[in-house]
């Protein structure tokens, strides 16, 4: 009886595991389209925020179409347009490739005042996981108009502060190229060391590794657009 009882228990548990796994797989597959749509809307909201256009989940798609629409494309390392859809480029995969083989998405925006902005997506590594963001440039392709950043698991109150407005707003007015036209990027440095420097912003107090991660991300990702920005 004990042996039969154990067999029954084992079979019952196995069947339940299979049934539950099947249900979870079905739910995951069913919810994926909605999850993908929500992720796309969130991405559009971040891009719009970089050009100082506030949006919500309900109007982000309409505003994205108004200010950007089809004016998004993919570049190669030489700054030339190539095949591909900017919005679907997976930066997590691209940054693992050699720079010469990467696809470089860019979003060209036309604001209500007639000014043109260029939004560049960036991605790198923080302390506990990936960090990412968007940097918008003025028509001179040098001066930063705005910047937004996000993270997967940085420490609240420390590295996670890269999402705070007081950190992000420092980037406005900074420049990517020095006075001689050489690419300089924007470094995230210790607090108090950026005053008066067009290529530096103050880092997060207590979030040194995340600050370095953002600094490296900007250097690595933005440098791939150098030829496009100079042309």
């Amino acid at each position: 009886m004990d042996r039969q009882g154990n067999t029954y228990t084992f079979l019952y548990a196995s069947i339940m595991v299979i049934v539950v796994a099947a249900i979870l797989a079905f739910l995951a597959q069913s919810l994926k389209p909605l999850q993908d749509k929500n992720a796309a809307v969130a991405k559009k909201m971040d891009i719009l925020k970089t050009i100082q256009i506030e949006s919500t989940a309900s109007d982000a798609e309409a505003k994205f179409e108004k200010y950007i629409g089809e004016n998004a494309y993919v570049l190669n390392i030489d700054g030339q347009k190539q095949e591909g859809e900017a919005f679907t480029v997976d930066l997590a995969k691209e940054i693992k490739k050699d720079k010469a083989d990467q696809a470089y998405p860019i979003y060209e925006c036309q604001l209500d005042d007639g000014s043109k902005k260029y939004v560049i997506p960036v991605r790198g590594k923080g302390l506990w996981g990936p960090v990412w963001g968007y940097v918008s440039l003025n028509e001179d392709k040098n001066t930063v108009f705005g910047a937004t950043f996000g993270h997967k698991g940085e420490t609240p109150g420390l590295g996670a502060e890269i999402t705070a407005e007081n950190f992000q707003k420092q980037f406005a007015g900074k420049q990517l190229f020095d006075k001689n036209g050489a690419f300089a990027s924007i470094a995230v440095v210790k607090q108090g060391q950026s005053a008066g420097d067009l290529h530096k912003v103050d880092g997060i107090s207590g979030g040194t590794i995340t600050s370095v991660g953002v600094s490296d991300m900007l250097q690595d990702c933005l440098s791939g657009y150098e030829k496009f920005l100079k042309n």
Side-chain angles (χ1 to χ4, degrees), residues 5-19:
N6 290 338
T7 300
Y8 173 81
T9 301
F10 175 78
L11 289 174
Y12 177 80
S14 299
I15 292 172
M16 288 302 297
V17 168
I18 294 172
V19 170

Side-chain angles (χ1 to χ4, degrees), residues 89-96 103-105 121-123 133 221 225:
V89 171
D90 188 345
L91 282 190
K93 294 180 179 179
E94 293 299 319
I95 62 175
K96 295 178 181 178
Y104 297 92
V122 293
R123 188 178 180 90
C221 292
Y225 292 84

Side-chain angles (χ1 to χ4, degrees), residues 17-33 35:
V17 168
I18 294 172
V19 170
V20 171
I23 292 173
L24 291 176
F26 173 77
L27 290 174
Q29 190 66 27
S30 300
L31 293 174
K32 190 175 188 306
Q35 293 171 335

Side-chain angles (χ1 to χ4, degrees), residues 6-159:
N6 290 338
T7 300
Y8 173 81
T9 301
F10 175 78
L11 289 174
Y12 177 80
S14 299
I15 292 172
M16 288 302 297
V17 168
I18 294 172
V19 170
V20 171
I23 292 173
L24 291 176
F26 173 77
L27 290 174
Q29 190 66 27
S30 300
L31 293 174
K32 190 175 188 306
L34 179 60
Q35 293 171 335
D36 290 344
K37 179 177 175 58
N38 289 341
V41 169
K43 182 175 179 178
K44 290 177 179 179
M45 290 176 65
D46 284 341
I47 293 172
L48 289 168
K49 184 178 178 182
T50 308
I51 55 172
Q52 299 181 15
I53 301 296
E54 294 299 325
S55 62
T56 64
S58 60
D59 65 13
E61 293 183 303
K63 288 185 175 181
F64 187 88
E65 182 64 26
K66 175 183 178 180
Y67 293 104
I68 300 172
E70 300 299 320
N71 297 320
Y73 41 89
V74 179
L75 305 170
N76 60 24
I77 191 68
D78 294 319
Q80 301 169 332
K81 290 184 181 180
Q82 64 176 25
E83 292 291 326
E85 186 177 345
F87 199 79
T88 59
V89 171
D90 188 345
L91 282 190
K93 294 180 179 179
E94 293 299 319
I95 62 175
K96 295 178 181 178
K97 302 177 183 178
D98 291 336
K99 278 196 170 294
D101 299 325
Q102 290 183 32
Y104 297 92
I106 193 161
Y107 302 88
E108 194 173 305
C109 315
Q110 193 81 27
L111 300 187
D112 292 330
D113 62 4
S115 63
K116 183 183 291 186
K117 309 297 177 187
Y118 298 91
V119 179
I120 298 175
V122 293
R123 188 178 180 90
K125 296 179 180 179
L127 174 59
W128 302 113
V131 292
W132 58 83
Y134 298 90
V135 177
S136 64
L137 303 175
N138 288 327
E139 202 159 350
D140 63 2
K141 296 182 180 178
N142 179 29
T143 307
V144 175
F145 181 67
T148 62
F149 301 104
H151 65 90
K152 185 175 182 179
E154 299 307 289
T155 307
L158 299 175

